[in-house]
Amino acid sequence: TSADRRVLLALVAVMVITIFQSVSYYQIANVAPVWIQASVALDVGRHSIPVPWYQSIDPLFSILGVPLLFWIWRRQASRDREPGELAKIGTGAWLAAASNLVLVAAIFLADGAPIHPVWPFLYCAGLGIAFLYYWPTLLALVSRTAPASVNATMMGVAFMTLFVSNNLIGWVGGFYEKMSPSGFWTLHAAIAATGGVLVMLFGKRLSRVLAGAEEQPLRPSAQTLEVER
C-alpha cells in the first residue's frame, strides 16, 4: 500500500543516516590501530600494552553498557521522558563524534609528545556506548515497523548499511597519510555529527511516519490468505 511505501522510504532514510555513525565508529578497526601504534606511549613501567588490546575495549563497554542503558531508559520511561528511537540514534551519532574529538584533544594536549594510553581507552569506550545507542535501536525499529511481507528483507537491508560503511572507511582511511592526525580524527567527528544533524532535521518527520506504521493493524499476506482459503 502507499502507507507501506512511506514506511519503507522512512526506514531507508534512517538507515542512510546511520551510515555516518558507522563510518565514524568502524574506523576503530581500520586506521585507529595504526595511529595507536605510531602515536601512543604503549610502554607502562616494565610492560608494553599490545595494540590489539584496544580492540577489546569497545565490545567490553558495549556489554557493560547494556544494563546501564536499560536502567537509564527505564527511569526515563517512568517519568515519560524516554527518548524515541530516532533520538537514541542521534545520541549515538553525537557520542561517536565526541569520542573522535577525544583523540583530537589528546593530540593537542600532547603537543608532539607520545600520547598517554588512557586517551585511546576513552575513545574506544565512548564508541562502545555510541554503538549501543544507534545500532540495536535501528534493528529494533526495522523489526517492529517494516511491513510483515518484507520484514526479513528489510532486516537484511539494514545489515547492508554495514557493507556500505566498511567500504567507505577504507576509502576515507586513505586520507590518513594526506592529513594531520588531528585533522583526520576531526573529520570523523564531523562525519558522525552529520548523522546527528540529520536526525535533528528529519527525526520528527520520520518518527511520525514510523509511529503510524505501529498503529496500523497487522494485515495477513497474500500467501497467508491463499493458504487459509
Side-chain angles (χ1 to χ4, degrees):
T1 66
S2 59
D4 289 338
R5 286 192 288 272
R6 286 195 297 271
V7 170
L8 292 177
L9 288 174
L11 287 175
V12 170
V14 176
M15 292 177 195
V16 171
I17 290 174
T18 63
I19 289 175
F20 292 92
Q21 287 91 307
S22 290
V23 170
S24 177
Y25 167 78
Y26 279 105
Q27 202 62 259
I28 191 175
N30 188 41
V31 169
V34 177
W35 176 81
I36 291 171
Q37 182 71 59
S39 305
V40 177
L42 296 172
D43 293 327
V44 180
R46 298 182 178 180
H47 302 281
S48 181
I49 303 173
V51 173
W53 282 15
Y54 282 99
Q55 304 302 304
S56 67
I57 296 170
D58 150 50
L60 176 63
F61 273 79
S62 291
I63 295 169
L64 297 178
V66 170
L68 174 62
L69 287 186
F70 279 177
W71 178 77
I72 292 173
W73 291 341
R74 285 195 187 102
R75 283 184 60 86
Q76 291 174 330
S78 66
R79 303 173 184 176
D80 200 26
R81 297 178 62 182
E82 182 182 4
E85 281 88 349
L86 269 294
K88 290 176 182 176
I89 290 172
T91 300
W94 295 116
L95 288 174
S99 298
N100 281 275
L101 288 177
V102 165
L103 298 186
V104 178
I107 292 168
F108 277 106
L109 291 174
D111 194 24
I115 292 169
H116 195 282
V118 74
W119 290 103
F121 175 89
L122 295 175
Y123 160 76
C124 296
L127 287 179
I129 300 299
F131 180 84
L132 280 181
Y133 262 96
Y134 87 89
W135 180 247
T137 303
L138 172 66
L139 296 182
L141 182 64
V142 174
S143 176
R144 193 175 65 254
T145 61
S149 59
V150 292
N151 194 281
T153 301
M154 291 304 294
M155 291 296 290
V157 173
F159 278 93
M160 283 292 291
T161 64
L162 300 184
F163 168 80
V164 175
S165 302
N166 278 279
N167 277 277
L168 287 174
I169 66 166
W171 175 69
V172 177
F175 292 100
Y176 178 69
E177 294 181 347
K178 304 174 184 178
M179 302 175 67
S180 66
S182 60
F184 183 79
W185 297 117
T186 300
L187 171 64
H188 282 75
I191 290 172
T194 300
V197 171
L198 290 174
V199 169
M200 292 175 64
L201 293 175
F202 304 108
K204 290 184 178 180
R205 185 181 307 176
L206 294 170
S207 294
R208 285 196 297 268
V209 174
L210 297 173
E214 295 184 83
E215 295 171 359
Q216 294 179 7
L218 291 176
R219 298 183 299 277
S221 65
Q223 294 89 337
T224 303
L225 292 175
E226 183 66 26
V227 170
E228 291 176 350
R229 186 167 61 187

